[in-house]
Amino acid sequence: MTGAFPQKVKSILFVCLGNICRSPLAQAAMEEAAKKHKLDLQIDSAGTGDWHIGQPPDPRGQAAAMAGGVDISEYRGRQISNRDFLEFDMIVALDHSNHDDLMAMGGDGPAHISLMLDHVAGSEGQAVADPYYGGDQDFQECWSILRQAADALASKLR
Ligand code: 4NP
């Protein structure tokens, strides 16, 4: 995690590798948590890679979110850009590799960079496992972990 937790957070970007599995689910979970905690936040997601630009989230992730009543079918993959490091107050990585890539791109900039699970008491420093090569249950677990983590992050931002 870089520096102190920012004072007033207005925008958060969630970043994984492909922007089709974990970070769209993190974005959706945070949008739900922001509603619940009455936070006015700009929330988005991106991938460090470029393979899935313009593509919808993985159907297994869409199904996991839909089972919780959240429709992410309109989300589209995009790749992180240098501008994101100026536009977002917080950039939240899903795993260590994403975190390393973010630090290399913008670690000396104004955005606060952290791991998603840094915001969950007792899980600091841990990665959210990539469900891409897994099955439906891995996506359901991922969604469940991300909902809890988003709720914990939203509680910190109140
Ligand atoms: P994500 O999962 O980083 O959670 O979106 C992946 C999606 C696609 C690939 C790898 C991970 N891929 O190699 O295409």
Side-chain angles (χ1 to χ4, degrees), residues 15-24 47-48 51-52 58 94-95 98 128-133 139 142:
V15 176
C16 63
L17 180 61
N19 193 211
I20 55 163
C21 298
R22 293 163 295 171
S23 61
T48 57
W51 312 284
H52 300 288
D58 188 290
L94 275 295
D95 67 26
N98 315 143
V128 175
D130 191 347
Y132 186 60
Y133 296 104
F139 277 85
C142 185

Side-chain angles (χ1 to χ4, degrees), residues 46-68:
T48 57
D50 63 0
W51 312 284
H52 300 288
I53 293 171
Q55 293 180 12
D58 188 290
R60 298 165 295 177
Q62 289 192 43
M66 196 55 107

Side-chain angles (χ1 to χ4, degrees), residues 26-133:
Q27 176 185 350
M30 196 67 209
E31 282 167 0
E32 292 300 297
K35 268 188 240 162
K36 179 182 154 192
H37 291 273
K38 299 190 179 8
L39 297 171
D40 184 17
L41 288 172
Q42 183 201 342
I43 303 162
D44 198 2
S45 64
T48 57
D50 63 0
W51 312 284
H52 300 288
I53 293 171
Q55 293 180 12
D58 188 290
R60 298 165 295 177
Q62 289 192 43
M66 196 55 107
V70 183
D71 182 358
I72 61 169
S73 62
E74 299 296 317
Y75 289 15
R76 291 294 178 269
R78 75 170 181 92
Q79 189 175 27
I80 191 164
S81 74
N82 288 325
R83 224 176 56 184
D84 289 315
F85 290 87
L86 302 174
E87 291 192 348
F88 287 89
D89 299 325
M90 285 187 83
I91 305 185
V92 181
L94 275 295
D95 67 26
H96 300 98
S97 165
N98 315 143
H99 189 269
D100 289 349
D101 290 342
L102 293 175
M103 291 302 285
M105 274 183 90
D108 54 358
H112 182 271
I113 299 172
S114 60
L115 277 170
M116 184 62 160
L117 294 185
D118 284 341
H119 305 290
V120 179
S123 297
E124 296 91 342
Q126 291 181 28
V128 175
D130 191 347
Y132 186 60
Y133 296 104

